[in-house]
Structure formats: structure tokens, C-alpha cells
Amino acid sequence: MNQYAVWGNPIAQSKSPRIHQLFGELTQKNISYEAKLGDEQAFEQQIQMFFQQGAKGANITAPFKERAFKLADLHSEGCLLAEACNTLKKLDDGRLYAENTDGAGLCSDLARLGWLAEKQRVLILGAGGATKGVLFPLLKANQQITIYNRTHEKAVELAEKFAKFGQIQAACWEEIIQSKFDLIINATSLGLQGKYVELPQSVLVGSSVYDMQYAVDMSTPFLNYARSQGVEKYQDGLGMLVGQAAESFKLWESVLPEVEPVLVQLQTEMKKAK
């Protein structure tokens, strides 16, 4: 039985063990997958011990994605650009391979929704790790990206770093509020404090609105605000979570599980637990 785990701190809230259990059942793969509490001081030693004891792979979540990235011996191109990883795989020769499947998970969910047309104008709110992890796949999907961040310099830095891969720019607030977008993606962590970027109704209405965070009935602070402004097409990040997990599973087990049945099952379970 192949052993896997997700590492983070905190970690008790993680949906990953349930997702991978469902993937195992769907694909008839006999796997073990647990949630592991990472220690702020001893994370590197924990991961090394985990693989020494025979584990085949690990998912990494906050606050360890950058530290896991540095632990790996080999990295995918997208992972190198993100400077963070959410998936580690132990290779046959013992080395650790790092991947970042967040962007692939987002793109697969946007495609599932029919929201991934070529050359569409995409506004991304935030210029932190969540944004950095998804830019490469979005640009490969030929999206025209504008980044808005409260600290403008950070958005400019990110746009310059990814400019060679496609059409991307940073914009200040005055430019944003006079623009229209096909798709608006919230990649900030403001929702964790019950906050959101208060975009004008003129910018929101007519756009598809996506929040990387997720909640029961899609009730994230940003999506609640978007709905109050008349937005009709909106989605939370639960599909992205399942999508990125599917990409990790494929990297480890060489089969891409179906996302839809797992997503439906999770939504049902979340509503029951509410």
C-alpha cells in the first residue's frame, strides 16, 4: 500500500485525506493518505523521516510550501517559477521531485466551468504565493492577465517575472476601476479575516467571478459581496482544491482520477456537516 500525507500547520481542517480516499476508491488504487501536523522548527526533519520510512509522496500546504520547495532535488518549470511546491514525489533513485499543481487545478476547474476561453481578460486580485502558483498555467492557457495588489510594486515585480510567458501586466486601482474583465479571480487571503477587495459594481457585473477560497454554499466574503453587487456567474475554489489533488494523484499513481464525482460528494458532505 503506497503511503502519502498532507503536511501543514494547522491541518485538522484539511479535505485532502477525504479527497484522496475517494480517488483511491474511484481508481481502485490501494493507498494510505493521512493529515500530518508539521512542526514549525522541525518540518524538514519530519519530511525526511517520512520518506525514509517508505512514503511515496506528500502534499504540502501553508506554511511550508516554500520550505518544501527548498528540500527537493528536482523541480518542474512551474514549480521553479512559483518558488513553492504543494506536491513532493520520491523518485526511484531516492531523490525528491517537486511540483506545484495549484495552477493546473485552477485551470482544470475553469475548463470544467467553461470559463477558460483563449485571450480572455483576467483580473487577479493579490500578488502573493497563491497568485505566483497559478500564473504559469494561466499564461500557457493564453489568458491576458492583469494583477492588482495593494502594494503595487509587488504586482509589477510579478508581472515582470512572468512577462516572457505571455500577456501580463500590473495595474493600479485607478486603472482597475475603469476596466472590464471576462474573469475576476480572488487570490488574496483577506477572506480568512472576513474581508475582501471592494471592487465597484461596474467592474464586477458582466464578469465571471472566482474565489480560490471555498466555503459551504460558496459563501466566502468575496463571493457574498459579488452576489450583492448583481454578479450572476460565481464559483468558489473547492473545484480547484479537488483539481490540484487529482494532478498530485496522477503524478504519484500514473492515473488522473475524475474530479466531478468527488466534488459532488464533498459538497454533499460539507452541507450535511454545516
Side-chain angles (χ1 to χ4, degrees):
M1 184 186 288
N2 288 341
Q3 305 249 332
Y4 305 103
V6 58
W7 291 82
N9 189 341
I11 199 61
Q13 80 293 346
S14 176
K15 299 272 187 286
S16 293
R18 181 63 176 140
I19 291 169
H20 284 277
Q21 179 192 1
L22 291 167
F23 284 163
E25 290 168 8
L26 269 176
T27 59
Q28 297 181 311
K29 295 278 187 178
N30 190 20
I31 66 159
S32 165
Y33 189 109
E34 299 175 279
K36 300 270 193 183
L37 183 66
D39 184 275
E40 294 278 3
Q41 275 69 50
F43 171 71
E44 285 78 6
Q45 293 93 318
Q46 286 180 312
I47 287 289
Q48 283 159 348
M49 182 64 71
F50 179 65
F51 282 109
Q52 282 167 15
Q53 291 172 343
K56 298 288 186 182
N59 284 131
I60 312 294
T61 189
F64 300 119
K65 289 185 178 185
E66 288 81 9
R67 288 166 69 173
F69 171 83
K70 290 174 184 170
L71 264 181
D73 304 295
L74 297 167
H75 307 79
S76 71
E77 186 177 13
C79 193
L80 285 170
L81 287 163
E83 297 174 325
C85 85
N86 72 341
T87 307
L88 290 170
K89 177 182 180 177
K90 188 173 186 180
L91 301 176
D92 292 339
D93 61 10
R95 290 183 298 171
L96 285 184
Y97 173 74
E99 178 62 277
N100 192 317
T101 66
D102 287 333
L106 173 61
C107 286
S108 74
D109 201 37
L110 293 174
R112 179 183 71 85
L113 296 163
W115 292 6
L116 200 63
E118 288 212 356
K119 295 185 179 175
Q120 65 182 354
R121 296 158 300 169
V122 179
L123 171 63
I124 300 182
L125 304 173
T131 299
K132 209 189 276 189
V134 301
L135 284 178
F136 183 56
L138 283 172
L139 288 167
K140 284 210 308 188
N142 209 7
Q143 306 299 289
Q144 298 176 355
I145 296 172
T146 299
I147 303 173
Y148 169 73
N149 192 62
R150 191 173 49 185
T151 308
H152 184 61
E153 295 74 24
K154 205 172 172 189
V156 170
E157 193 180 304
L158 213 48
E160 287 174 351
K161 178 179 180 179
F162 284 85
K164 61 185 173 185
F165 300 106
Q167 195 170 325
I168 184 168
Q169 63 176 357
C172 61
W173 183 251
E174 290 71 24
E175 294 169 306
I176 294 296
I177 62 175
Q178 294 171 35
S179 304
K180 289 296 290 180
F181 302 93
D182 302 301
L183 173 64
I184 298 170
I185 299 173
N186 176 40
T188 73
S189 58
L190 290 172
L192 299 174
Q193 292 95 47
K195 300 175 183 175
Y196 49 85
V197 179
E198 205 166 315
L199 290 170
Q201 188 177 40
S202 60
V203 177
L204 285 166
V205 173
S207 301
S208 299
V209 174
Y210 193 98
D211 194 342
M212 284 194 195
Q213 294 180 350
Y214 63 88
V216 178
D217 296 327
M218 295 190 273
S219 60
T220 69
F222 183 63
L223 292 185
N224 287 341
Y225 172 69
R227 283 194 291 255
S228 78
Q229 298 301 302
V231 170
E232 294 178 355
K233 290 171 68 180
Y234 51 85
Q235 189 70 42
D236 73 353
L238 192 63
M240 174 181 172
L241 178 72
V242 179
Q244 63 79 25
E247 296 292 336
S248 295
F249 192 92
K250 180 187 174 186
L251 182 67
W252 300 326
E253 293 285 336
S254 303
V255 57
L256 184 66
E258 279 185 81
V259 164
E260 195 72 37
V262 174
L263 183 55
V264 170
Q265 181 66 26
L266 275 186
Q267 287 167 333
T268 304
E269 290 172 7
M270 284 168 65
K271 283 174 184 171
K272 278 184 185 170
K274 189 178 174 182

